[in-house]
Amino acid sequence: MGSVVLSIAGRTYRMSCEDGEEQRIEALAHYLEGKIGSMRANFGEIGEQRIIVMAALAIADEASDARAKAQAVEAEFAELRAELDAARKANDALSARASEALKDAARRLAKLNGDLSKPPAPADDLL
């Protein structure tokens, strides 16, 4: 089990995390610290707890937007997959029809070739 020491809003926190997650946790804390700094720059000193809550809400809003976009992309992906499946089925059906048409044409050509290979009928039989 790993651990990291973070500094957020002027306070130090020691946090446990999974091994290998230390850099990610530090990056998230740095992002949160940036949000808090941005809130302070925009609103001044309105209280540490209020700034932290506002930063958390801003991050939650970003996460909500990201989830909505991800869901839209997933829906579009599902739509495209359905279209691809339909196109594949149509292609398979078309290929089957083309194959049957080629087989039929080959049978007809073989019959025609057989008919043309027969010796011609005597001329008096034709009259």
Side-chain angles (χ1 to χ4, degrees), residues 20-97:
E21 289 290 310
E22 294 87 356
Q23 285 183 329
R24 183 172 186 270
I25 300 296
E26 289 170 351
L28 291 170
H30 182 72
Y31 185 72
L32 176 56
E33 183 67 24
K35 278 290 182 193
I36 292 169
S38 175
M39 294 289 172
R40 277 195 180 119
N42 288 334
F43 301 107
E45 288 299 324
I46 58 172
E48 185 176 322
Q49 189 172 12
R50 179 175 268 171
I51 289 287
I52 292 170
V53 169
M54 289 173 66
L57 287 172
I59 292 170
D61 185 47
E62 291 172 2
S64 178
D65 288 348
R67 273 192 302 275
K69 287 178 185 176
Q71 289 172 343
V73 167
E74 287 173 2
E76 184 178 359
F77 180 73
E79 231 177 85
L80 291 172
R81 183 176 293 269
E83 287 177 21
L84 178 61
D85 289 344
R88 283 182 176 154
K89 286 179 184 176
N91 184 53
D92 290 346
L94 196 57
S95 291
R97 285 180 51 204

